[in-house]
Amino acid sequence: MSAVLVTVVFAAVAILLAAYFSFPCRNRPFDLKVVLDGLLRAESSVVPSPDVRIAVGFGSCLDIVGNGLSVMETIGGLVPDVPENFNEINGPDELQKTFAYFFMHGASAGRLTKNNSLFDEVMTIMKDLPDTRFMLGGNAPAMTKRFGKEAVKVLLAASVPDNHLKEFSTGVSGYNKNLVNPVFFIAIYEFSM
């Protein structure tokens, strides 16, 4: 009985290995264009019903995007001798060192600061830069915009400033445009020269 079991197991493993090594896509490089084209074909094959209604939750903020080098020059002007990564930003020196660290590596990062005066100073600097722009950010607005393109009705449970309502298509309701609290800002420093 054990010889039959060994033979069956050996045959099963041989079949699986043969299938694995003969699979046509195994040795082919990953082709992102083929994947994206397939996803677009699948997306276009679905026609949403105009009766579809979607509720999207919280997560709205206002992204302020500006030239990071200009912000760093205005805050301190000097490039730090030793770039360093901080998990939380407590002062201008830590902001500059962290910016320099990720700039040096060509990478992006998100950091929190509890230093309100530093954050206010950065916001003031960024608002005064000539190339600064504001965008509605967060997951809820991004999902709402996407669902709006599909011509479905969306209930958005988030606060949205009046001047950013135009970013949504018609059929979006439920947002709070009478903000009680200040808008939640995220500062985005671009690495542009």
Side-chain angles (χ1 to χ4, degrees):
M1 189 73 158
S2 64
V4 172
L5 182 61
V6 169
T7 304
V8 169
V9 169
F10 179 76
V13 168
I15 290 170
L16 289 173
L17 285 172
Y20 174 77
F21 285 110
S22 66
F23 190 65
C25 293
R26 186 183 165 285
N27 295 321
R28 214 170 46 195
F30 178 74
D31 190 349
L32 183 60
K33 181 167 178 16
V34 171
V35 172
L36 293 177
D37 288 344
L39 288 171
L40 289 171
R41 276 193 312 276
E43 178 189 25
S44 64
S45 70
V46 177
V47 179
S49 167
D51 297 334
V52 172
R53 291 191 276 172
I54 299 174
V56 179
F58 293 92
S60 175
C61 64
L62 198 57
D63 294 340
I64 179 170
V65 183
N67 185 318
L69 295 174
S70 298
V71 173
M72 295 307 132
E73 287 173 2
T74 305
I75 286 178
L78 299 175
V79 176
D81 293 331
V82 182
E84 191 175 345
N85 179 16
F86 293 91
N87 291 329
E88 184 177 307
I89 307 298
N90 294 306
D93 57 327
E94 290 181 3
L95 176 63
Q96 288 180 305
K97 286 180 180 181
T98 301
F99 180 85
Y101 177 85
F102 287 100
F103 186 88
M104 178 177 71
H105 293 289
S108 63
R111 294 295 180 262
L112 172 73
T113 183
K114 294 179 182 174
N115 183 336
N116 290 336
S117 62
L118 173 64
F119 190 78
D120 291 343
E121 179 183 358
V122 168
M123 288 294 106
T124 301
I125 291 168
M126 290 185 78
K127 288 176 185 175
D128 290 341
L129 293 175
D131 57 350
T132 296
R133 59 194 185 281
F134 294 87
M135 299 180 300
L136 197 55
N139 289 331
M143 291 171 24
T144 299
K145 288 178 196 177
R146 180 66 182 120
F147 291 139
K149 289 181 181 178
E150 300 297 329
V152 296
K153 295 177 182 159
V154 182
L155 173 67
L156 174 61
S159 296
V160 179
D162 284 337
N163 57 336
H164 288 275
L165 293 176
K166 64 184 176 295
E167 295 183 32
F168 297 119
S169 61
T170 58
V172 176
S173 63
Y175 47 82
N176 177 12
K177 59 182 186 176
N178 300 317
L179 296 173
V180 176
N181 298 322
V183 175
F184 177 62
F185 282 98
I186 294 181
I188 300 174
Y189 311 115
E190 291 183 320
F191 295 153
S192 57
M193 296 183 171

